[in-house]
Amino acid sequence: MSTLIVALLILLTSAILYVKHKFTYWSRRNVPFPEPHFPYGNFKELWKSSAATFSSKIYSQMAHCGRFFGLYFFLEPILVVTDLDLIKAIMIKDFAHFPDRGQYCNARDDPVSAHLFNIEGQAWRSLRAKLTPTFTSGKMKSMFPTLRAVGDNLARCLEVVVGDGSDVELKDCMARFTTDVIGSCAFGIECNSLEDPGSRFRSFGQQIFDRPRHSTAFRLLLKTFPGVGRFLGIKLLRTEATSFFYKTVQDTVEYRKANGVERNDFLNLLLELEKKGVDLSMNEIAAQSFLFFAAGFETSSSTQTFCLYELSLRPEIQDKARKCVVEALEKYGGLTYEAVCDMGYLDQCINETLRKYPTLPILERQTFKDYQIPDSDVIIQKGVRVQIPVYAIQHDERYYPDPDRFDPDRFSPEHAANRHISAFLPFGEGPRVCIGQRFGMLQSRVGIATVLSKFRVSSCAKSQVPLQISSKSAVLQPRQGVWLRVEPL
C-alpha cells in the first residue's frame, strides 16, 4: 500500500510539473500572455460565448502588449498576431511558412470534409490549381442568368408574404434564397426553398450551421489532436446531411455523363476539368460541391441579412443604397451582370457589413517550418497555431473610429485606398484567400438589390437591437431570427 501511495504521489507530482512546464512555454520565449488556468488554459469562456466575443475580449485585454501575444488552449500554445504588417507577412510575403489552416478533416470516414478549405500541403496546392479556373469573372457571368432567376423568385415570394407590409424573419428568407441559388448554380437542381421552407436542401443546410455536430471548443480540440480524432473515426459533420449531399452529387454526375447533359453551373465546370484531363475523384467532386454549397449559402445569407438589418436602422443610408441600385437598373435595362457590377455604393454597404460582421471572426494558420518574427528574437516553432483576430481588428478604433457605427463611407474609393490591407480580411488574403469571393459578392449584390429595388425595410417590435451573436456556430451568425418590417415600395 505504501509503495502504491508513493507511486501515485510521484505520478501526481510529475503531472503537476509537466503542466507547469507547458504553461511556461511563452514566458521562456519572452512572449506576453494572459495567465492560463488548468485545464482550459485561456479558453474557458469559449465554451459559453461566441468566438467573436471571446477574441475581442482577449484582444482588448492584451492591447498594450505590442505586435503579438501568446495563449494556451488547454496545454497547446497559440500565438495571436495583432500587428498589421506582421499579419501581411504571414498571409502573403512569408506564406511558405504558413501554408495550412490546421483544420480538422477525416477523408476516410467523412469524405466531404476533405474540401479545399480544410486540406493541406501538396493536396491543397494541386486542388487549388485545378479549381481556380472555375471562379473567373467569365464563369461567374455565365452563371448569372440562373442567379437572376432565383432573385426573381425571391421578389415574388416576398410580395406574397408581406402583402401591403408585414414583419418578416429575414434571416430564414435570405437563407432560403441563397440555398436556391447554390442549388441551381452548384448542382443544377431546383431546391424550391423559397416556395417550400421545409425542402431537403434547406433542412440539411440548417443542420450544418444552425445545429452543428460539435461545439466551437470541441472543434478546436479536434484541430489540436487531429490524429486522435481520425483514429477514433470522429466526423466533423452530421452523417445524414453529408450522405445526402454525396448521393445528390453522385447521382447528378452519373445522370449527366449518361445523358450528355450540360449546364452553366459549378458541377459542370468540374466535369469540364475531367474532360480536359484533370484527374478528379468522385470524393473530390463531392467535397468541393459540398464546400460550394455550405460556404456559399450560409456566408452570403448572413451577410445579406446583416446588411439589410443595418439599413433598416439607418433609413438615410438605405435610401442612398436604393438610389444606387435603381440608377444601375435603369442604366443597364434591368438586373444584368453589368448592372450589379456597377453598384458602387451598394458594394460599400456590403463591405461595411463584412467589417462589422466578418463570417470568420478568427483566421488561423499553422506554422509549417520555424519562423523568426521580423525585428524580434521570437521564433514561431513548426506546428504552432497562429490566430489572426479579424473581428477584433475590424472593431479596433485605431483603424475604424466609432467601430460600432455602420458607415459605408469607410469603403469609399479614397478611404479604401489608404487602408492597410490587413485591416480588412473578411475573405482572408494571400494564396489561401477565399476562392469563392467573386461569387459570394455577386449573389449578395443580387439579393440585396432585389430587396431594395422593390421593398423598404425597417425595424419592428420584434427587432433585436443590438443583435446578439450565436455562441454555437463556427461562423458569425445572429443568435435568434432577424425580424424586420418589410413593405412594398
Side-chain angles (χ1 to χ4, degrees):
M1 180 63 72
S2 60
T3 303
L4 178 61
I5 292 173
V6 170
L8 289 173
L9 286 173
I10 292 174
L11 185 63
L12 179 62
T13 302
S14 299
I16 292 172
L17 291 174
Y18 174 75
V19 170
K20 285 188 174 182
H21 177 73
K22 294 291 284 186
F23 278 167
T24 62
Y25 181 90
W26 291 124
S27 61
R28 284 182 276 122
R29 287 161 176 78
N30 295 318
V31 173
F33 62 95
E35 190 66 27
H37 299 281
F38 184 80
Y40 303 100
N42 301 109
F43 282 75
K44 183 177 181 179
E45 291 187 19
L46 185 60
W47 299 88
K48 57 184 178 181
S49 67
S50 70
T53 302
F54 168 80
S55 174
S56 291
K57 184 175 180 179
I58 294 286
Y59 181 90
S60 298
Q61 180 184 339
M62 302 298 289
H64 63 284
C65 293
R67 299 189 294 156
F68 50 83
F69 59 87
L71 294 177
Y72 294 94
F73 179 71
F74 287 79
L75 302 181
E76 180 198 15
I78 293 175
L79 188 73
V80 180
V81 179
T82 58
D83 178 74
L84 301 186
D85 288 329
L86 181 53
I87 291 171
K88 180 180 178 181
I90 287 172
M91 303 192 80
I92 304 174
K93 177 175 173 289
D94 298 320
F95 174 79
H97 287 79
F98 307 92
D100 301 324
R101 290 194 174 99
Q103 296 291 313
Y104 174 80
C105 68
N106 184 349
R108 181 193 65 194
D109 303 296
D110 199 8
V112 299
S113 71
H115 49 64
L116 194 65
F117 188 86
N118 287 344
I119 60 175
E120 301 177 344
Q122 186 54 44
W124 168 78
R125 292 184 187 88
S126 175
L127 189 59
R128 177 87 184 200
K130 294 174 185 177
L131 294 180
T132 296
T134 68
F135 286 95
T136 62
S137 56
K139 301 294 187 184
M140 296 302 101
K141 188 175 182 179
S142 71
M143 292 183 186
F144 188 80
T146 303
L147 208 167
R148 182 178 56 202
V150 182
D152 292 340
N153 287 343
L154 170 64
R156 285 193 291 269
C157 175
L158 281 174
E159 285 169 358
V160 171
V161 170
V162 305
D164 294 332
S166 66
D167 298 344
V168 177
E169 202 289 275
L170 212 61
K171 175 66 171 71
D172 178 66
C173 183
M174 302 315 293
R176 284 154 54 199
F177 163 67
T178 54
T179 296
D180 286 357
V181 167
I182 300 298
S184 294
C185 292
F187 307 107
I189 292 174
E190 302 301 324
C191 302
N192 296 317
S193 299
L194 284 166
E195 288 79 13
D196 177 16
S199 73
R200 297 191 74 193
F201 266 88
R202 175 68 184 123
S203 174
F204 288 122
Q206 287 176 305
Q207 283 190 28
I208 298 167
F209 290 100
D210 298 346
R211 299 187 294 276
R213 186 169 191 148
H214 305 297
S215 67
T216 302
F218 188 80
R219 287 191 293 271
L220 262 177
L221 273 177
L222 289 176
K223 293 179 189 178
T224 306
F225 305 105
V228 175
R230 284 189 278 269
F231 176 77
L232 296 174
I234 296 175
K235 297 181 179 182
L236 192 63
L237 304 162
R238 291 188 179 275
T239 303
E240 187 181 7
T242 55
S243 297
F244 166 76
F245 283 111
Y246 191 97
K247 189 173 189 311
T248 297
V249 173
Q250 187 177 42
D251 290 349
T252 306
V253 168
E254 290 175 355
Y255 177 82
R256 291 190 183 188
K257 286 183 175 180
N259 296 276
V261 175
E262 293 189 2
R263 283 183 54 120
N264 285 324
D265 58 24
F266 178 70
L267 192 57
N268 198 71
L269 296 176
L270 295 182
L271 297 179
E272 282 182 0
L273 291 177
E274 275 197 315
K275 292 177 184 177
K276 295 175 182 177
V278 176
D279 183 30
L280 285 173
S281 68
M282 179 55 68
N283 281 1
E284 285 181 317
I285 291 174
Q288 306 333 305
S289 299
F290 172 79
L291 174 63
F292 191 77
F293 175 83
F297 107 80
E298 170 53 38
T299 58
S300 187
S301 67
S302 289
T303 297
Q304 292 171 63
T305 303
F306 285 132
C307 185
L308 291 168
Y309 167 80
E310 290 288 348
L311 294 178
S312 75
L313 301 178
R314 292 158 181 81
E316 73 286 356
I317 296 179
Q318 182 181 160
D319 289 340
K320 189 174 179 180
R322 180 177 294 105
K323 182 173 183 288
C324 161
V325 168
V326 171
E327 287 177 351
L329 296 180
E330 291 174 349
K331 179 179 178 180
Y332 295 96
L335 191 66
T336 64
Y337 179 79
E338 291 74 18
V340 296
C341 292
D342 192 18
M343 297 179 179
Y345 191 73
L346 181 63
D347 274 2
Q348 290 178 212
C349 292
I350 294 173
N351 283 330
E352 174 66 347
T353 302
L354 289 168
R355 179 199 67 81
K356 280 198 72 175
Y357 308 98
T359 301
L360 291 177
I362 300 170
L363 294 178
E364 292 190 313
R365 294 290 185 268
Q366 193 161 31
T367 315
F368 179 69
K369 52 186 175 181
D370 288 0
Y371 177 77
Q372 181 163 351
I373 296 177
D375 303 317
S376 166
D377 294 331
V378 175
I379 294 176
I380 310 176
Q381 290 185 307
K382 177 181 178 180
V384 169
R385 195 181 308 279
V386 174
Q387 289 189 346
I388 298 165
V390 173
Y391 182 91
I393 289 171
Q394 292 181 182
H395 286 75
D396 190 324
E397 289 188 344
R398 292 176 296 174
Y399 315 124
Y400 300 97
D402 194 6
D404 292 331
R405 178 171 54 90
F406 184 80
D407 181 9
D409 287 339
R410 300 183 204 269
F411 290 90
S412 64
E414 56 273 20
H415 282 102
N418 294 323
R419 182 174 297 115
H420 196 292
I421 189 174
S422 300
F424 183 61
L425 295 170
F427 296 101
E429 193 50 78
R432 287 203 83 136
V433 68
C434 174
I435 196 172
Q437 177 177 352
R438 272 198 189 99
F439 187 84
M441 287 294 291
L442 188 62
Q443 69 169 335
S444 290
R445 291 180 190 128
V446 170
I448 298 170
T450 296
V451 174
L452 291 181
S453 65
K454 297 179 182 296
F455 304 93
R456 183 178 303 281
V457 292
S458 56
S459 59
C460 63
K462 296 180 182 178
S463 298
Q464 187 182 69
V465 183
L467 279 180
Q468 300 298 308
I469 302 301
S470 171
S471 61
K472 296 180 180 179
S473 177
V475 296
L476 202 73
Q477 281 188 316
R479 183 180 296 172
Q480 300 171 354
V482 178
W483 287 88
L484 297 177
R485 179 78 176 175
V486 180
E487 300 170 289
L489 293 174

